[in-house]
């Protein structure tokens, strides 16, 4: 399995370093930098062309392209639909498996805000590393897509995993390659 590039225009570190006063440089639906995401998409297109050539030269090999870009764009486009699902109760907050009343949805802090950061836009400051003073850590990392501006949280990787292994984000689709076999007694 060969992974493509993430939508780097959505990375809090790149959003901070390449911050622009020009609102046209940002996707109005996600807040991500358009030019950086186009760069990542171009990289992924070229990667897929190369993988197809390698596959033609090695027809007995199984080469799977993992579309990290689109798997991750799910939660950048709809952060409240991904990440954690919790319900509030009189006794505090508890994790739930299904939709029930009082849900605190998905990436409640948004997909672009850093869980462990040093302030500034997106709670990312390149001069303040996570774990060093004066950085702070959010109470619940599963409410964030980005851990420290460079790395995603476990909740974000869970969404990507589901998109790859249960969804449509592998080429060829992973389910066409993993055929269950019955054991004979």
């Amino acid at each position: 399995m060969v992974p493509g590039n993430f939508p780097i225009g959505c990375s809090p570190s790149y959003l901070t370093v390449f911050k622009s006063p020009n609102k046209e440089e940002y996707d109005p639906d996600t807040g991500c930098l358009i030019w950086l995401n186009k760069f990542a998409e171009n990289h992924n297109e070229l990667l897929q062309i190369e993988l197809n050539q390698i596959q033609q030269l090695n027809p007995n090999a199984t080469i799977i392209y993992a579309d990290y870009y689109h798997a991750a764009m799910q939660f950048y486009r709809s952060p409240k639909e991904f990440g954690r699902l919790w319900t509030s109760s009189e006794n505090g907050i508890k994790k739930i498996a299904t939709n029930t009343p009082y849900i605190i949805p998905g990436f409640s802090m948004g997909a672009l805000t850093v869980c462990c950061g040093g302030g500034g836009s997106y709670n990312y400051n390149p001069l303040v590393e996570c774990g060093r003073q004066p950085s702070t850590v959010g109470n619940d990392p599963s409410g964030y897509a980005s851990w420290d501006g460079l790395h995603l949280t476990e909740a974000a990787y869970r969404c990507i995993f589901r998109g790859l292994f249960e969804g449509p984000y592998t080429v060829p689709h992973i389910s066409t390659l993993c055929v269950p076999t019955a054991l004979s007694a």
Side-chain angles (χ1 to χ4, degrees):
M1 184 173 288
V2 181
N5 203 347
F6 289 108
I8 60 174
C10 300
S11 169
S13 60
Y14 286 109
L15 284 164
T16 300
V17 171
F18 296 107
K19 185 175 184 176
S20 172
N22 184 355
K23 292 184 181 190
E24 289 78 36
E25 290 190 30
Y26 296 89
D27 182 317
D29 296 327
T30 63
C32 302
L33 283 165
I34 295 169
W35 69 272
L36 274 171
N37 278 351
K38 285 184 179 182
F39 177 79
E41 286 180 296
N42 185 56
H43 164 85
N44 291 340
E45 289 171 14
L46 294 173
L47 175 61
Q48 288 178 77
I49 290 168
E50 291 299 317
L51 292 175
N52 288 335
Q53 290 176 351
I54 293 169
Q55 183 68 70
Q56 289 175 356
L57 293 172
N58 301 281
N60 294 324
T62 301
I63 299 173
I64 301 169
Y65 171 70
D67 187 356
Y68 278 22
Y69 183 94
H70 289 100
M73 281 305 292
Q74 298 177 96
F75 56 78
Y76 289 117
R77 285 193 183 105
S78 304
K80 303 287 187 199
E81 295 178 24
F82 295 91
R84 68 173 178 202
L85 285 179
W86 300 81
T87 185
S88 60
S89 68
E90 292 180 0
N91 298 329
I93 296 177
K94 58 184 176 181
K95 197 169 187 175
I96 61 169
T98 59
N99 290 338
T100 60
Y102 311 108
I103 289 179
I104 302 169
F107 295 121
S108 59
M109 301 308 294
L112 303 179
T113 303
V114 170
C115 180
C116 183
S121 298
Y122 315 103
N123 194 33
Y124 177 78
N125 181 338
L127 301 176
V128 180
E129 292 181 20
C130 177
R132 306 240 179 192
Q133 292 295 332
S135 71
T136 59
V137 179
N139 289 336
D140 179 18
S142 67
Y144 299 81
S146 179
W147 171 247
D148 61 359
L150 301 170
H151 305 96
L152 298 175
T153 61
E154 183 179 335
Y157 279 117
R158 186 179 309 110
C159 293
I160 292 169
F161 169 83
R162 286 185 179 146
L164 296 174
F165 289 91
E166 299 171 5
Y169 299 112
T170 57
V171 179
H173 194 277
I174 197 87
S175 67
T176 64
L177 301 172
C178 300
V179 180
T181 58
L183 296 175
S184 58

